[in-house]
C-alpha cells in the first residue's frame, strides 16, 4: 500500500527475504516510484493483526525494495473511507467568519472535509465557519480541455486546529448539499485520474 499525492496504490507483493531487522519485498514497479517519494511502504498479511510500515532502506531494482525500521500500524491510518488527495494549484479555498475572509492553503481534500493551513492570527476559538471553494471540472471525462468553473459555498465545522510556528493547521468538516457533494466527488475522481497519469509519466511500469 502506497499513496501518490493521496491516491491509494494497492497491489499484491511477495516477501522474498527476512533478516533480523529488515525484510525484502517484491512488488509492481509502481511501488518503487511511490516508495521513493514517500520513503515508506505499508503491507498487510492475513496472519498479522496490524498492517506493517517499513522505511525504504534500498530500492534494489524497479520491483525489489529493502525495508527496515518495521513497526505495526493500524489499517485505518492507511486506508480511509474517503479518499483524501492533494488538489491542483487552481483549487482555491477561503474561510469566512466574523466578517473576515482568510485565504487558506489546502493540504488535502475529501468529499467530506478539507485539511488546510492558515496564518496563526486566525481565531482558534472559531468552530462554525463559512467555506468558499473554487475549482475546475471537465464537462466530459474524454474532453479534458473543456472545463467549467465550479463554486461551492457552504457551512463548515473546524474539528481540529493546531498551531505550528507562524502558521496553523486545521481540519474543517463540510456541510454540503447532495449536489455540492457530487460536484466535489467528481472533482476528486477527475483529479485522481490526472494523478495516475502523472505517476505513469514519472517512470514507466
Amino acid at each position: 500500500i502506497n499513496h501518490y499525492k493521496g491516491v491509494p496504490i494497492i497491489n499484491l507483493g511477495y516477501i522474498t527475504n527476512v533478516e533480523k531487522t529488515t525484510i525484502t519485498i517484491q512488488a509492481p514497479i509502481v511501488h518503487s516510484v511511490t516508495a521513493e517519494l514517500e520513503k515508506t511502504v505499508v503491507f498487510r498479511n492475513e496472519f498479522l493483526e496490524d498492517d506493517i510500515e517499513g522505511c525504504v532502506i534500498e530500492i534494489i531494482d524497479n520491483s525489489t525494495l529493502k525495508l527496515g525500521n518495521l513497526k505495526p500500524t493500524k489499517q485505518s491510518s492507511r486506508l480511509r473511507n474517503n479518499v483524501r488527495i492533494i488538489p491542483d494549484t487552481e483549487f482555491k479555498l477561503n474561510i469566512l467568519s466574523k466578517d473576515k475572509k482568510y485565504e487558506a492553503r489546502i493540504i488535502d481534500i475529501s468529499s467530506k472535509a478539507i485539511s488546510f493551513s492558515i496564518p496563526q492570527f486566525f481565531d482558534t476559538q472559531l468552530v462554525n465557519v463559512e467555506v468558499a471553494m473554487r475549482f475546475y471540472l471537465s464537462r466530459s471525462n474524454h474532453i479534458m480541455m473543456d472545463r467549467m468553473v465550479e463554486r461551492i459555498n457552504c457551512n463548515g465545522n473546524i474539528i481540529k486546529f493546531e498551531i505550528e510556528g507562524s502558521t496553523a493547521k486545521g481540519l474543517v468538516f463540510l456541510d454540503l448539499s447532495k449536489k455540492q457533494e457530487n460536484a466535489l466527488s467528481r472533482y476528486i475522481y477527475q483529479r485522481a485520474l490526472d494523478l495516475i497519469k502523472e505517476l505513469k509519466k514519472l517512470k514507466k511500469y
Side-chain angles (χ1 to χ4, degrees):
I1 305 166
N2 280 92
H3 288 82
Y4 179 68
K5 296 185 179 182
V7 178
I9 309 296
I10 305 171
N11 287 294
L12 290 175
Y14 301 91
I15 297 174
T16 59
N17 189 43
V18 178
E19 299 180 10
K20 186 175 181 179
T21 59
T22 66
I23 65 167
T24 302
I25 63 171
Q26 272 194 330
I29 294 174
V30 64
H31 286 282
S32 69
V33 180
T34 52
E36 190 172 2
L37 295 170
E38 287 195 302
K39 310 303 182 187
T40 60
V41 172
V42 169
F43 65 90
R44 56 172 43 174
N45 181 281
E46 61 182 313
F47 299 110
L48 301 175
E49 181 178 348
D50 294 320
D51 290 355
I52 302 296
E53 181 179 83
C55 296
V56 179
I57 295 176
E58 182 182 1
I59 300 177
I60 299 170
D61 56 44
N62 284 340
S63 60
T64 306
L65 304 171
K66 189 173 185 178
L67 308 176
N69 192 24
L70 306 171
K71 58 183 179 182
T73 180
K74 293 298 181 183
Q75 296 177 7
S76 59
S77 68
R78 211 58 182 185
L79 297 175
R80 311 178 182 106
N81 291 330
N82 298 294
V83 174
R84 285 162 43 185
I85 65 168
I86 298 175
D88 59 59
T89 56
E90 294 179 304
F91 195 111
K92 303 300 180 184
L93 171 69
N94 289 312
I95 295 177
L96 302 90
S97 187
K98 296 183 177 179
D99 298 323
K100 292 184 179 180
K101 181 172 75 172
Y102 303 91
E103 184 175 348
R105 185 183 70 82
I106 304 171
I107 299 171
D108 58 37
I109 66 172
S110 75
S111 60
K112 303 291 185 183
I114 299 180
S115 295
F116 64 91
S117 65
I118 209 163
Q120 187 174 333
F121 59 75
F122 184 74
D123 187 350
T124 59
Q125 300 303 313
L126 296 180
V127 176
N128 299 317
V129 295
E130 294 179 44
V131 178
M133 291 171 269
R134 188 191 71 192
F135 52 91
Y136 287 92
L137 283 177
S138 298
R139 296 181 189 275
S140 168
N141 291 333
H142 304 290
I143 309 175
M144 301 305 292
M145 297 303 293
D146 184 15
R147 304 192 308 164
M148 60 182 178
V149 177
E150 183 75 30
R151 290 182 172 85
I152 292 178
N153 294 283
C154 66
N155 293 325
N157 294 313
I158 295 178
I159 58 177
K160 184 179 179 181
F161 199 84
E162 298 176 346
I163 303 295
E164 293 188 0
S166 61
T167 63
K169 291 183 178 180
L171 177 66
V172 58
F173 190 83
L174 306 172
D175 184 12
L176 299 169
S177 68
K178 191 64 178 177
K179 182 179 178 181
Q180 291 172 331
E181 185 176 346
N182 288 341
L184 190 56
S185 295
R186 185 178 164 195
Y187 170 82
I188 291 170
Y189 172 77
Q190 291 180 355
R191 174 63 174 158
L193 291 180
D194 289 342
L195 288 172
I196 290 171
K197 291 177 183 177
E198 181 179 295
L199 175 59
K200 288 181 177 179
K201 289 179 180 178
L202 291 179
K203 200 170 187 178
K204 290 185 178 180
Y205 58 91

